[in-house]
Structure formats: C-alpha cells, structure tokens
Amino acid sequence: RIAASRTGNKLFLHVLNVNYSRAVEASFPGAKVGRVIEIAPENLRSHVSHDKPDEFRPRETELKGGWWRFPAGSVSAVELELSAGG
C-alpha cells in the first residue's frame, strides 16, 4: 500500500508492505537522490520491552541506484529528489 505526495521536485512515498513473508522491490526512475526511513524488525513477532527499547526505532538509509527493497511487514517513508522533467 502506498500514499504519495509531491512538492516541487520532491516526491514523498509512504509505503506499507502488508506481505509478512516476502520483501517487495521497487525502482524509481527519474530520481537523482533520496532517502528511506523505515521500521523493519527482523522478527515480525518481536515487541518493545525494557530489554529491547529500540526494537521499532526507525532507521534512515540513503537511496542508491534508483531502487529499494521493502522488507516483509515493513513501514517506510521514501523521499526522492526528482531530476528535471521527473
């Protein structure tokens, strides 16, 4: 599931991978640079506790190569800077 918005040359995507058994790959043609902020625990049955307070802490990663792999059960915010005419 995806929601998108655009301001000038920036495209914002909010992506929820509802598949709990496999990742989904996406390509972003026309994107010069970008970043992804995601919540993607390795174990989808994990939980936050005193022992694991950062279990669902968002991670920020630079988007390289114009594609991204959304892990199973993940929630992601993608910010893309579009090239001219994108």
Side-chain angles (χ1 to χ4, degrees):
R1 306 212 170 158
I2 301 173
S5 62
R6 181 176 176 169
T7 301
N9 69 335
K10 290 209 174 182
L11 179 66
F12 302 92
L13 304 173
H14 299 273
V15 181
L16 169 62
N17 183 356
V18 296
N19 191 313
Y20 294 110
S21 61
R22 66 179 171 84
V24 174
E25 292 186 0
S27 63
F28 305 105
K32 295 191 304 187
V33 294
R35 67 183 181 135
V36 178
I37 301 167
E38 71 178 1
I39 298 173
E42 288 184 32
N43 179 354
L44 295 178
R45 294 183 179 261
S46 61
H47 60 280
V48 175
S49 68
H50 291 290
D51 298 332
K52 304 183 291 182
D54 297 328
E55 190 68 13
F56 293 101
R57 181 176 301 274
R59 293 184 304 261
E60 183 174 336
T61 307
E62 182 181 349
L63 181 72
K64 297 179 182 178
W67 71 275
W68 188 257
R69 185 173 190 263
F70 296 97
S74 63
V75 176
S76 306
V78 181
E79 180 180 319
L80 302 170
E81 185 176 331
L82 303 174
S83 57

Coordinates of all heavy atoms in Angstrom, one line a residue:
R1 N 0.8 -1.2 0.0 CA 0.0 0.0 0.0 C 0.9 1.2 0.0 O 1.9 1.3 0.7 CB -0.9 0.0 1.2 CG -1.6 -1.3 1.3 CD -3.0 -1.2 1.9 NE -3.6 -2.5 1.6 CZ -4.5 -3.0 2.3 NH1 -5.0 -2.3 3.3 NH2 -5.0 -4.1 2.0
I2 N 0.5 2.2 -0.8 CA 1.3 3.4 -1.0 C 0.5 4.6 -1.0 O -0.6 4.7 -1.6 CB 2.1 3.3 -2.3 CG1 3.0 2.1 -2.3 CG2 2.9 4.6 -2.5 CD1 3.7 1.9 -3.7
A3 N 0.9 5.7 -0.3 CA 0.4 7.0 -0.4 C 1.5 7.9 -0.9 O 2.7 7.7 -0.5 CB -0.2 7.5 1.0
A4 N 1.2 8.9 -1.7 CA 2.2 9.7 -2.3 C 1.8 11.2 -2.3 O 0.6 11.5 -2.4 CB 2.6 9.2 -3.7
S5 N 2.8 12.0 -2.3 CA 2.6 13.5 -2.4 C 3.8 14.1 -3.1 O 4.9 13.5 -3.1 CB 2.3 14.1 -1.1 OG 3.3 14.0 -0.2
R6 N 3.7 15.3 -3.6 CA 4.8 15.9 -4.3 C 4.8 17.4 -4.0 O 3.8 18.0 -4.0 CB 4.7 15.7 -5.8 CG 5.9 16.3 -6.6 CD 5.8 16.0 -8.0 NE 6.9 16.6 -8.7 CZ 7.2 16.4 -10.0 NH1 6.5 15.5 -10.7 NH2 8.1 17.0 -10.6
T7 N 6.0 17.9 -3.7 CA 6.2 19.3 -3.5 C 7.4 19.7 -4.3 O 8.5 19.3 -4.0 CB 6.5 19.7 -2.0 OG1 5.3 19.2 -1.3 CG2 6.7 21.1 -1.8
G8 N 7.2 20.5 -5.4 CA 8.3 20.9 -6.3 C 8.9 19.7 -6.9 O 8.3 18.9 -7.5
N9 N 10.3 19.5 -6.7 CA 11.0 18.4 -7.3 C 11.1 17.2 -6.3 O 11.9 16.4 -6.5 CB 12.3 18.8 -7.9 CG 13.3 19.2 -6.8 OD1 12.9 19.6 -5.7 ND2 14.6 19.1 -7.1
K10 N 10.4 17.3 -5.1 CA 10.5 16.2 -4.1 C 9.2 15.4 -4.1 O 8.1 15.9 -4.1 CB 10.7 16.8 -2.8 CG 12.1 17.4 -2.6 CD 12.6 17.3 -1.2 CE 14.1 17.8 -1.3 NZ 14.7 17.7 0.0
L11 N 9.4 14.1 -4.2 CA 8.3 13.1 -4.1 C 8.4 12.4 -2.8 O 9.5 11.9 -2.4 CB 8.4 12.2 -5.3 CG 7.3 11.1 -5.4 CD1 6.0 11.7 -5.7 CD2 7.7 10.1 -6.5
F12 N 7.3 12.3 -2.1 CA 7.2 11.6 -0.8 C 6.3 10.4 -0.9 O 5.2 10.5 -1.4 CB 6.7 12.5 0.3 CG 7.5 13.8 0.4 CD1 7.2 14.9 -0.3 CD2 8.6 13.8 1.2 CE1 8.0 16.1 -0.2 CE2 9.4 14.9 1.4 CZ 9.1 16.1 0.7
L13 N 6.8 9.2 -0.6 CA 6.0 8.0 -0.6 C 6.0 7.4 0.8 O 7.0 7.4 1.5 CB 6.7 7.0 -1.5 CG 6.9 7.4 -2.9 CD1 7.7 6.3 -3.6 CD2 5.6 7.6 -3.7
H14 N 4.8 6.9 1.2 CA 4.6 6.3 2.5 C 4.2 4.8 2.1 O 3.1 4.7 1.5 CB 3.6 7.0 3.4 CG 4.0 8.4 3.7 ND1 4.8 8.6 4.8 CD2 3.8 9.5 3.0 CE1 5.1 9.9 4.8 NE2 4.5 10.5 3.7
V15 N 5.0 3.9 2.4 CA 4.8 2.5 1.9 C 4.7 1.5 3.1 O 5.5 1.5 4.0 CB 6.1 2.1 1.1 CG1 5.9 0.7 0.5 CG2 6.3 3.1 -0.1
L16 N 3.6 0.7 3.0 CA 3.4 -0.4 3.9 C 3.4 -1.7 3.2 O 2.6 -1.9 2.2 CB 2.0 -0.2 4.6 CG 1.5 -1.4 5.4 CD1 2.4 -1.6 6.6 CD2 0.1 -1.1 5.9
N17 N 4.4 -2.5 3.5 CA 4.4 -3.9 2.9 C 3.6 -4.8 3.7 O 4.0 -5.2 4.8 CB 5.9 -4.4 2.7 CG 5.9 -5.7 2.1 OD1 4.9 -6.3 1.7 ND2 7.1 -6.2 1.9
V18 N 2.4 -5.1 3.3 CA 1.5 -5.9 4.1 C 1.8 -7.4 4.0 O 1.1 -8.2 4.6 CB 0.0 -5.6 3.7 CG1 -0.4 -4.2 4.1 CG2 -0.3 -5.9 2.3
N19 N 2.7 -7.8 3.1 CA 3.1 -9.2 3.0 C 4.1 -9.5 4.1 O 5.1 -8.9 4.2 CB 3.7 -9.4 1.6 CG 3.9 -10.9 1.4 OD1 4.4 -11.6 2.2 ND2 3.5 -11.3 0.2
Y20 N 3.7 -10.5 4.9 CA 4.6 -10.8 6.1 C 5.6 -11.9 5.8 O 6.4 -12.3 6.6 CB 3.7 -11.2 7.3 CG 2.9 -10.1 7.8 CD1 1.5 -10.1 7.6 CD2 3.5 -9.0 8.4 CE1 0.8 -9.0 8.1 CE2 2.8 -8.0 8.9 CZ 1.4 -8.0 8.8 OH 0.7 -6.9 9.2
S21 N 5.6 -12.4 4.5 CA 6.6 -13.5 4.2 C 7.6 -13.1 3.1 O 8.6 -13.8 3.0 CB 5.8 -14.7 3.8 OG 5.0 -14.4 2.6
R22 N 7.4 -12.0 2.4 CA 8.4 -11.6 1.4 C 8.6 -10.1 1.2 O 7.6 -9.4 1.5 CB 8.1 -12.3 0.1 CG 6.9 -11.8 -0.6 CD 6.7 -12.6 -1.9 NE 5.4 -12.3 -2.5 CZ 5.1 -11.2 -3.2 NH1 6.0 -10.3 -3.4 NH2 3.9 -11.0 -3.7
A23 N 9.7 -9.8 0.8 CA 10.0 -8.4 0.5 C 9.5 -8.0 -0.9 O 9.1 -8.9 -1.7 CB 11.5 -8.1 0.5
V24 N 9.4 -6.7 -1.1 CA 8.9 -6.2 -2.4 C 10.0 -5.2 -2.9 O 10.4 -4.3 -2.1 CB 7.5 -5.4 -2.2 CG1 7.1 -4.8 -3.5 CG2 6.5 -6.4 -1.8
E25 N 10.3 -5.3 -4.1 CA 11.3 -4.4 -4.7 C 10.6 -3.4 -5.6 O 9.6 -3.7 -6.2 CB 12.4 -5.2 -5.5 CG 13.2 -6.1 -4.7 CD 14.4 -6.7 -5.5 OE1 14.5 -6.5 -6.7 OE2 15.1 -7.4 -4.8
A26 N 11.2 -2.2 -5.6 CA 10.7 -1.1 -6.4 C 11.8 -0.3 -7.0 O 12.9 -0.2 -6.4 CB 9.8 -0.2 -5.6
S27 N 11.6 0.2 -8.2 CA 12.6 1.1 -8.9 C 12.0 2.5 -9.0 O 10.8 2.7 -9.0 CB 13.0 0.6 -10.2 OG 11.9 0.5 -11.1
F28 N 12.9 3.5 -9.0 CA 12.4 4.9 -9.0 C 13.2 5.6 -10.1 O 14.1 6.4 -9.9 CB 12.7 5.5 -7.7 CG 12.1 4.8 -6.5 CD1 12.9 4.1 -5.7 CD2 10.7 4.9 -6.3 CE1 12.3 3.4 -4.6 CE2 10.2 4.2 -5.2 CZ 10.9 3.5 -4.4
P29 N 12.8 5.4 -11.4 CA 13.4 6.1 -12.5 C 13.1 7.6 -12.4 O 12.1 8.0 -12.0 CB 12.7 5.5 -13.7 CG 11.6 4.6 -13.3 CD 11.7 4.5 -11.8
G30 N 14.1 8.4 -12.7 CA 14.0 9.8 -12.6 C 14.4 10.4 -11.3 O 14.4 11.6 -11.1
A31 N 14.7 9.5 -10.3 CA 15.1 10.0 -9.0 C 16.6 10.2 -9.0 O 17.3 9.3 -9.3 CB 14.7 9.1 -7.9
K32 N 17.1 11.4 -8.7 CA 18.5 11.7 -8.6 C 19.1 11.1 -7.3 O 20.1 10.4 -7.3 CB 18.8 13.2 -8.7 CG 18.4 13.8 -10.0 CD 19.0 15.2 -10.2 CE 18.5 16.1 -9.1 NZ 18.9 17.5 -9.3
V33 N 18.5 11.5 -6.2 CA 18.9 11.1 -4.9 C 17.7 10.9 -4.0 O 16.6 11.3 -4.3 CB 19.8 12.1 -4.2 CG1 21.2 12.3 -4.9 CG2 19.2 13.5 -4.1
G34 N 17.9 10.2 -2.9 CA 16.8 10.0 -2.0 C 17.2 9.4 -0.7 O 18.4 9.1 -0.5
R35 N 16.2 9.2 0.2 CA 16.5 8.6 1.5 C 15.2 7.8 1.9 O 14.1 8.1 1.4 CB 16.9 9.6 2.5 CG 15.7 10.5 2.9 CD 16.2 11.5 3.9 NE 15.1 12.4 4.3 CZ 14.8 12.8 5.5 NH1 15.6 12.3 6.5 NH2 13.8 13.6 5.8
V36 N 15.4 6.8 2.7 CA 14.4 5.9 3.2 C 14.4 5.9 4.7 O 15.5 5.7 5.2 CB 14.4 4.5 2.6 CG1 13.3 3.6 3.1 CG2 14.4 4.5 1.1
I37 N 13.3 6.1 5.3 CA 13.3 6.0 6.8 C 12.3 4.8 7.0 O 11.1 4.9 6.5 CB 12.7 7.3 7.4 CG1 13.7 8.4 7.1 CG2 12.6 7.1 8.9 CD1 13.2 9.8 7.4
E38 N 12.7 3.8 7.6 CA 11.9 2.6 7.7 C 11.9 2.0 9.1 O 12.8 2.1 9.9 CB 12.3 1.5 6.7 CG 13.6 0.8 6.9 CD 13.9 -0.3 5.9 OE1 13.1 -0.4 5.0 OE2 14.9 -0.9 6.1
I39 N 10.8 1.3 9.4 CA 10.7 0.4 10.6 C 10.5 -1.0 10.0 O 9.5 -1.2 9.4 CB 9.5 0.8 11.5 CG1 9.6 2.3 12.0 CG2 9.3 -0.1 12.6 CD1 8.4 2.8 12.7
A40 N 11.5 -1.8 10.2 CA 11.5 -3.1 9.7 C 12.2 -4.1 10.6 O 13.4 -4.5 10.4 CB 12.2 -3.1 8.3
P41 N 11.6 -4.6 11.6 CA 12.2 -5.5 12.5 C 12.5 -6.8 11.8 O 11.7 -7.2 11.0 CB 11.2 -5.7 13.7 CG 9.9 -5.3 13.1 CD 10.2 -4.3 12.0
E42 N 13.6 -7.5 12.2 CA 13.9 -8.8 11.6 C 12.9 -9.8 11.9 O 12.5 -10.6 11.1 CB 15.3 -9.2 12.1 CG 16.4 -8.4 11.4 CD 17.8 -9.0 11.8 OE1 17.9 -10.2 12.0 OE2 18.7 -8.2 11.9
N43 N 12.4 -9.8 13.2 CA 11.4 -10.7 13.6 C 10.1 -10.0 13.8 O 9.9 -9.1 14.6 CB 11.8 -11.3 15.0 CG 10.7 -12.3 15.5 OD1 9.7 -12.5 14.9 ND2 11.1 -13.0 16.6
L44 N 9.1 -10.3 12.9 CA 7.8 -9.5 12.9 C 7.0 -9.8 14.2 O 6.0 -9.1 14.4 CB 7.0 -9.9 11.7 CG 7.6 -9.4 10.4 CD1 6.8 -9.8 9.2 CD2 7.9 -7.9 10.4
R45 N 7.4 -10.8 15.0 CA 6.6 -11.1 16.2 C 7.3 -10.4 17.4 O 6.9 -10.7 18.5 CB 6.5 -12.6 16.4 CG 5.7 -13.3 15.4 CD 5.5 -14.7 15.7 NE 4.7 -15.4 14.7 CZ 3.4 -15.7 14.9 NH1 2.9 -15.4 16.1 NH2 2.7 -16.3 14.0
S46 N 8.3 -9.7 17.2 CA 9.1 -9.0 18.3 C 8.2 -7.9 18.9 O 7.2 -7.5 18.3 CB 10.4 -8.4 17.8 OG 10.2 -7.5 16.8
H47 N 8.7 -7.4 20.0 CA 7.9 -6.4 20.7 C 8.9 -5.5 21.5 O 10.1 -5.9 21.7 CB 7.0 -7.1 21.7 CG 7.7 -7.9 22.7 ND1 8.1 -9.2 22.5 CD2 8.0 -7.6 24.0 CE1 8.7 -9.7 23.5 NE2 8.7 -8.8 24.5
V48 N 8.4 -4.3 21.8 CA 9.2 -3.4 22.6 C 9.1 -3.8 24.1 O 8.0 -4.1 24.6 CB 8.7 -2.0 22.4 CG1 9.5 -1.0 23.3 CG2 8.9 -1.6 20.9
S49 N 10.3 -3.8 24.8 CA 10.3 -4.1 26.2 C 11.4 -3.3 26.8 O 12.2 -2.6 26.1 CB 10.5 -5.6 26.4 OG 11.7 -6.0 26.0
H50 N 11.6 -3.5 28.1 CA 12.8 -2.9 28.8 C 14.1 -3.4 28.3 O 15.1 -2.7 28.2 CB 12.7 -3.1 30.3 CG 11.6 -2.4 31.0 ND1 11.5 -1.0 31.1 CD2 10.4 -2.8 31.5 CE1 10.4 -0.6 31.7 NE2 9.7 -1.7 31.9
D51 N 14.1 -4.6 27.8 CA 15.3 -5.2 27.3 C 15.6 -4.8 25.9 O 16.7 -4.9 25.4 CB 15.2 -6.8 27.3 CG 15.1 -7.3 28.8 OD1 15.6 -6.6 29.7 OD2 14.5 -8.4 28.9
K52 N 14.5 -4.4 25.1 CA 14.6 -4.1 23.7 C 13.9 -2.8 23.4 O 12.9 -2.8 22.7 CB 14.0 -5.2 22.8 CG 14.6 -6.6 23.1 CD 14.1 -7.6 22.1 CE 12.6 -7.9 22.5 NZ 12.0 -8.9 21.6
P53 N 14.3 -1.7 24.0 CA 13.5 -0.4 23.8 C 13.6 0.1 22.4 O 12.8 0.9 22.0 CB 14.2 0.5 24.8 CG 15.6 0.0 25.0 CD 15.5 -1.5 24.9
D54 N 14.6 -0.2 21.6 CA 14.8 0.3 20.3 C 14.3 -0.7 19.2 O 14.7 -0.5 18.0 CB 16.3 0.6 20.0 CG 16.7 1.7 21.0 OD1 15.9 2.6 21.4 OD2 17.9 1.7 21.3
E55 N 13.5 -1.6 19.5 CA 13.1 -2.7 18.6 C 12.5 -2.1 17.3 O 12.7 -2.6 16.2 CB 12.2 -3.7 19.3 CG 11.9 -4.9 18.4 CD 13.1 -5.8 18.3 OE1 14.1 -5.7 19.0 OE2 13.0 -6.7 17.4
F56 N 11.7 -1.1 17.5 CA 11.0 -0.4 16.4 C 11.5 1.0 16.0 O 10.8 1.7 15.4 CB 9.5 -0.4 16.6 CG 8.9 -1.8 16.6 CD1 8.6 -2.4 17.8 CD2 8.7 -2.5 15.5 CE1 8.1 -3.7 17.9 CE2 8.1 -3.8 15.5 CZ 7.8 -4.4 16.7
R57 N 12.7 1.2 16.4 CA 13.3 2.6 16.1 C 13.5 2.7 14.6 O 14.1 1.8 14.0 CB 14.6 2.8 16.9 CG 15.2 4.2 16.6 CD 16.5 4.4 17.4 NE 16.2 4.3 18.8 CZ 15.8 5.3 19.6 NH1 15.6 6.5 19.1 NH2 15.7 5.1 20.9
P58 N 13.0 3.8 14.0 CA 13.2 4.0 12.6 C 14.7 4.1 12.2 O 15.5 4.6 13.0 CB 12.5 5.3 12.3 CG 11.6 5.5 13.4 CD 12.2 4.8 14.6
R59 N 15.0 3.5 11.0 CA 16.4 3.6 10.5 C 16.4 4.4 9.2 O 15.5 4.2 8.4 CB 17.0 2.2 10.2 CG 17.2 1.4 11.4 CD 17.8 0.0 11.0 NE 17.0 -0.7 10.0 CZ 16.2 -1.7 10.3 NH1 16.0 -2.1 11.5 NH2 15.5 -2.3 9.3
E60 N 17.3 5.3 9.1 CA 17.4 6.1 7.8 C 18.6 5.6 7.0 O 19.7 5.4 7.5 CB 17.6 7.6 8.2 CG 17.7 8.5 7.0 CD 17.7 10.0 7.3 OE1 17.3 10.4 8.4 OE2 18.2 10.7 6.5
T61 N 18.3 5.5 5.7 CA 19.3 5.0 4.8 C 19.2 5.8 3.5 O 18.2 6.2 3.0 CB 19.0 3.5 4.4 OG1 18.9 2.7 5.6 CG2 20.1 2.9 3.6
E62 N 20.4 6.0 2.9 CA 20.5 6.7 1.6 C 20.0 5.8 0.5 O 20.4 4.6 0.5 CB 21.9 7.2 1.3 CG 22.1 8.0 0.1 CD 23.5 8.4 -0.2 OE1 24.3 8.2 0.7 OE2 23.8 8.8 -1.3
L63 N 19.2 6.3 -0.4 CA 18.7 5.5 -1.5 C 19.7 5.6 -2.6 O 20.1 6.7 -3.1 CB 17.3 6.1 -2.0 CG 16.7 5.3 -3.1 CD1 16.2 4.0 -2.7 CD2 15.6 6.2 -3.7
K64 N 20.2 4.5 -3.0 CA 21.2 4.4 -4.1 C 20.8 3.5 -5.2 O 20.1 2.5 -5.0 CB 22.6 3.9 -3.5 CG 23.2 4.7 -2.4 CD 24.5 4.1 -1.9 CE 25.0 4.9 -0.8 NZ 26.3 4.3 -0.3
G65 N 21.2 3.9 -6.4 CA 20.9 3.1 -7.6 C 19.5 3.1 -8.1 O 19.1 2.4 -9.0
G66 N 18.6 4.0 -7.5 CA 17.3 4.1 -8.0 C 16.3 3.0 -7.7 O 15.3 2.9 -8.3
W67 N 16.6 2.1 -6.8 CA 15.7 1.1 -6.4 C 15.8 0.8 -4.9 O 16.8 1.2 -4.2 CB 16.0 -0.2 -7.2 CG 17.2 -0.9 -6.8 CD1 18.5 -0.7 -7.3 CD2 17.4 -2.0 -5.8 NE1 19.4 -1.5 -6.6 CE2 18.7 -2.3 -5.8 CE3 16.5 -2.6 -5.0 CZ2 19.2 -3.3 -4.9 CZ3 17.0 -3.6 -4.2 CH2 18.3 -3.9 -4.1
W68 N 14.8 0.2 -4.3 CA 14.8 -0.2 -2.9 C 14.0 -1.5 -2.7 O 13.1 -1.8 -3.5 CB 14.1 0.9 -2.1 CG 14.2 0.8 -0.7 CD1 13.2 0.3 0.2 CD2 15.3 1.0 0.1 NE1 13.7 0.2 1.5 CE2 15.0 0.7 1.5 CE3 16.6 1.5 -0.1 CZ2 15.9 0.8 2.5 CZ3 17.5 1.6 0.9 CH2 17.1 1.3 2.2
R69 N 14.4 -2.2 -1.7 CA 13.8 -3.4 -1.3 C 13.1 -3.2 0.0 O 13.7 -2.9 1.1 CB 14.9 -4.5 -1.1 CG 14.3 -5.9 -0.8 CD 15.5 -6.9 -0.9 NE 15.0 -8.2 -0.8 CZ 14.9 -9.0 0.3 NH1 15.3 -8.5 1.4 NH2 14.4 -10.2 0.2
F70 N 11.7 -3.2 0.0 CA 10.9 -3.1 1.2 C 10.8 -4.4 1.9 O 10.1 -5.3 1.4 CB 9.5 -2.5 0.8 CG 9.6 -1.1 0.2 CD1 9.6 -1.0 -1.2 CD2 9.7 0.0 1.0 CE1 9.7 0.3 -1.8 CE2 9.8 1.3 0.4 CZ 9.8 1.4 -1.0
P71 N 11.4 -4.5 3.1 CA 11.3 -5.8 3.8 C 9.9 -6.2 4.1 O 9.0 -5.4 4.2 CB 12.1 -5.6 5.1 CG 13.0 -4.4 4.8 CD 12.2 -3.6 3.8
A72 N 9.7 -7.5 4.3 CA 8.4 -8.0 4.7 C 7.9 -7.3 6.0 O 8.6 -7.1 6.9 CB 8.5 -9.5 5.0
G73 N 6.6 -6.9 6.0 CA 6.0 -6.3 7.1 C 6.5 -5.0 7.5 O 6.3 -4.5 8.6
S74 N 7.2 -4.3 6.6 CA 7.8 -3.0 7.0 C 6.9 -1.8 6.7 O 6.0 -1.9 5.9 CB 9.1 -2.8 6.1 OG 8.8 -2.8 4.8
V75 N 7.3 -0.7 7.3 CA 6.6 0.6 7.1 C 7.8 1.5 6.8 O 8.8 1.6 7.5 CB 5.9 1.1 8.4 CG1 5.4 2.5 8.2 CG2 4.9 0.1 8.8
S76 N 7.6 2.3 5.6 CA 8.7 3.1 5.1 C 8.2 4.4 4.6 O 7.1 4.6 4.1 CB 9.4 2.4 3.9 OG 9.8 1.1 4.3
A77 N 9.0 5.5 4.8 CA 8.8 6.8 4.2 C 10.0 7.0 3.3 O 11.1 6.8 3.7 CB 8.8 7.9 5.3
V78 N 9.7 7.3 2.0 CA 10.7 7.5 1.0 C 10.6 8.9 0.5 O 9.5 9.4 0.2 CB 10.4 6.5 -0.2 CG1 11.5 6.7 -1.3 CG2 10.4 5.1 0.3
E79 N 11.8 9.6 0.5 CA 11.8 11.0 0.0 C 12.8 10.9 -1.2 O 13.9 10.6 -1.1 CB 12.4 11.9 1.1 CG 12.5 13.3 0.6 CD 13.1 14.2 1.7 OE1 12.7 14.1 2.9 OE2 14.0 15.1 1.4
L80 N 12.2 11.3 -2.4 CA 13.0 11.3 -3.6 C 13.2 12.7 -4.2 O 12.2 13.5 -4.2 CB 12.3 10.4 -4.7 CG 12.1 9.0 -4.3 CD1 11.2 8.3 -5.3 CD2 13.4 8.2 -4.1
E81 N 14.4 13.0 -4.7 CA 14.6 14.3 -5.4 C 14.5 13.9 -6.9 O 15.4 13.1 -7.3 CB 15.9 14.9 -5.0 CG 16.1 16.3 -5.7 CD 17.3 17.0 -5.2 OE1 17.8 16.8 -4.1 OE2 17.9 17.7 -6.0
L82 N 13.6 14.4 -7.6 CA 13.4 14.1 -9.0 C 14.3 14.9 -9.9 O 14.6 16.1 -9.6 CB 11.9 14.3 -9.4 CG 10.9 13.5 -8.6 CD1 9.5 13.9 -9.0 CD2 11.1 12.0 -8.7
S83 N 14.7 14.3 -11.0 CA 15.5 15.1 -12.0 C 14.6 15.9 -12.8 O 13.4 15.8 -12.7 CB 16.3 14.1 -12.9 OG 15.4 13.2 -13.5
A84 N 15.1 16.8 -13.5 CA 14.3 17.8 -14.3 C 13.4 17.0 -15.2 O 13.8 16.0 -15.8 CB 15.2 18.6 -15.2
G85 N 12.1 17.3 -15.2 CA 11.1 16.6 -16.0 C 10.6 15.4 -15.4 O 9.8 14.6 -16.0
G86 N 11.0 15.0 -14.1 CA 10.6 13.8 -13.4 C 9.3 13.9 -13.0 O 8.4 13.7 -12.6

